[in-house]
Amino acid sequence: MGKVVLAYSGGLDTSVAIRWIGEKYGLEVIALTVDIGVEKDFASIKERALNAGAIKSIVLDAKEQFVKYFVFPALKADAIYEGNYPLATALGRPLIAKLLVDTAHQEGASAVAHGCTGKDNDQVRFDVSVAALDPELEIIAPAREWGMTREQEIAYAQRHALPIAVTSESPYSIDANLWGRSIECGVLEDPWIEPPEEVFAWTRSVNDAPDKPRYVEIGFDKGIPVSLNGEEMGGVSLINELNSLAGEHGVGRIDHVENRLVGIKSREVYEAPAATVLLKAHRALEDMTLSKGQLRFKERVAQEYADLIYNGLWYSALHQDLATYVESTQRFVTGTVRLKLFKGNCTVVGRKSPKSLYSLSLATYDKGDIFDQSASPGFIHIWGLPIRTQAQIQGQPEIGEADK
Ligand code: ARG
């Protein structure tokens, strides 16, 4: 009998998928659950997979890999999709795809499977990544093929006595990892409705947030956050710690109507406390250590970078090239940023760097000024030359002409 490795979350879709794949494809299912940073009861997920009919259940802790190879590169790039979404889900997929492929090779499986539907971005990310890593593997996406509604899935699960907890299934579709939590469906499908408090799990509402601000200091080394409040910390702990610190103050709630790759606009709510703080802090340090030209160009790269993460192109050569550029920009992005967390806001209030381009003696209006003001008229004379020339020859439109 052939084997397939299924990305297994423990939820309804993937539990039904175990049984369905056996029936439809006659393959034995190995369930693979990847831990990229959400506290879950992995022992009972394992048990559920086996009870649903998997021949083997594997849980892999990939938190370190996730942070080092996916989250931090995206942070260095300042990757934020459409100005809002720090890309947590989108960053997790290529790593899970890689582990599916590795596990398929280890287990001698000829196929991999995932629980995405035909409308998701995630199906694209999985399929494109798997094919880039091993084009020989077959890809099965049961939820894209079976055409069952949720009710039908539940009936199917009951008919086959599959171990699902229907009552505890929420009306929302949730995906979470260290970099953030994504919530969609239910009442959120109406973009006019304010997200109800119940969709949030990592962040307090502003009403309940403490009345006193909390200050945090993030230390960066070449674009990577390495310390929190002066204490050196590994990436996973630092992100975890910041998620709870910033979440406590209601920082990191995002409500976004976004453009999916498959052409649909969808309303998604995110909680990303650590990502919000770190992205802000990182940008603030870049403001100190990169030139105007570098900053401007990098902003364009950031948009491209975010798009390619969102669009499932992590394993593209374009990504390698952009990542190399981004890495080069980070060589002096070292220093400390101080932020204030207060009532849902995260504000940069201080920054310092041994490689800072900020020069007090150039900026100051007080004593100690070394800027040569007598050089300015000459500079302005030449700077304004083309505009003067043009104005003399072609004149200026009259102000207020439009009102006549
Ligand atoms: N819209 C986001 C993305 O495509 C998140 C999707 C995650 N899914 C969820 N169940 N909320 O990356």
Side-chain angles (χ1 to χ4, degrees), residues 126-198:
F126 275 128
D127 291 9
V128 171
S129 300
V130 167
L133 297 169
D134 181 355
E136 298 297 312
L137 282 172
E138 189 189 346
I139 302 168
I140 303 173
R144 187 163 64 188
E145 298 171 22
W146 63 35
M148 283 192 271
T149 63
R150 205 180 127 79
E151 282 65 39
Q152 288 167 331
E153 280 185 57
I154 293 170
Y156 182 97
Q158 283 164 346
R159 207 159 57 242
H160 297 286
L162 301 179
I164 52 145
V166 175
T167 44
S168 65
E169 291 270 340
S170 92
Y172 305 105
S173 163
I174 295 166
D175 177 71
N177 62 46
L178 275 169
W179 203 230
R181 187 167 171 272
S182 314
I183 313 116
E184 61 183 355
C185 301
V187 294
L188 299 176
E189 287 184 351
D190 182 346
W192 181 247
I193 290 184
E194 181 176 355
E197 218 30 59
E198 65 176 13

Side-chain angles (χ1 to χ4, degrees), residues 183-372:
I183 313 116
E184 61 183 355
C185 301
V187 294
L188 299 176
E189 287 184 351
D190 182 346
W192 181 247
I193 290 184
E194 181 176 355
E197 218 30 59
E198 65 176 13
V199 308
F200 299 107
W202 292 9
T203 52
R204 282 205 198 204
S205 83
V206 166
N207 287 335
D208 299 335
D211 292 319
K212 275 208 181 117
R214 167 89 192 227
Y215 289 87
V216 288
E217 280 185 24
I218 318 275
F220 286 87
D221 180 28
K222 297 193 170 78
I224 291 177
V226 292
S227 71
L228 178 60
N229 294 328
E231 191 190 329
E232 286 196 13
M233 237 181 241
V236 173
S237 324
L238 188 141
I239 292 171
N240 267 327
E241 187 83 18
L242 259 185
N243 269 331
S244 61
L245 272 181
E248 177 79 10
H249 287 269
V251 169
R253 291 187 175 187
I254 297 157
D255 183 347
H256 186 194
V257 174
E258 69 191 36
N259 292 291
R260 279 196 201 168
L261 181 57
V262 295
I264 304 169
K265 279 196 190 290
S266 76
R267 198 273 191 101
E268 191 107 26
V269 171
Y270 300 103
E271 291 185 282
T276 301
V277 175
L278 289 174
L279 283 160
K280 267 213 169 158
H282 181 257
R283 262 310 309 255
L285 193 56
E286 288 188 330
D287 286 341
M288 293 288 273
T289 53
L290 299 187
S291 68
K292 177 176 173 175
Q294 284 176 303
L295 283 167
R296 280 178 73 103
F297 189 72
K298 191 160 183 294
E299 212 162 283
R300 281 156 59 181
V301 171
Q303 225 178 64
E304 291 297 324
Y305 204 107
D307 275 10
L308 76 82
I309 293 172
Y310 191 84
N311 293 338
L313 303 177
W314 185 264
Y315 294 109
S316 63
L318 174 62
H319 176 224
Q320 288 176 31
D321 297 342
L322 293 186
T324 304
Y325 168 74
V326 168
E327 190 55 40
S328 164
T329 63
Q330 300 299 290
R331 58 204 186 277
F332 300 118
V333 184
T334 295
T336 306
V337 179
R338 188 158 184 263
L339 306 102
K340 179 175 170 176
L341 311 173
F342 186 50
K343 293 278 182 197
N345 290 310
C346 164
T347 321
V348 174
V349 294
R351 58 296 257 170
K352 60 181 180 184
S353 164
K355 294 291 180 190
S356 172
L357 301 175
Y358 178 89
S359 160
L360 180 63
S361 44
L362 285 175
T364 187
Y365 287 94
D366 293 337
K367 66 173 181 327
D369 183 4
I370 60 160
F371 187 90
D372 178 6

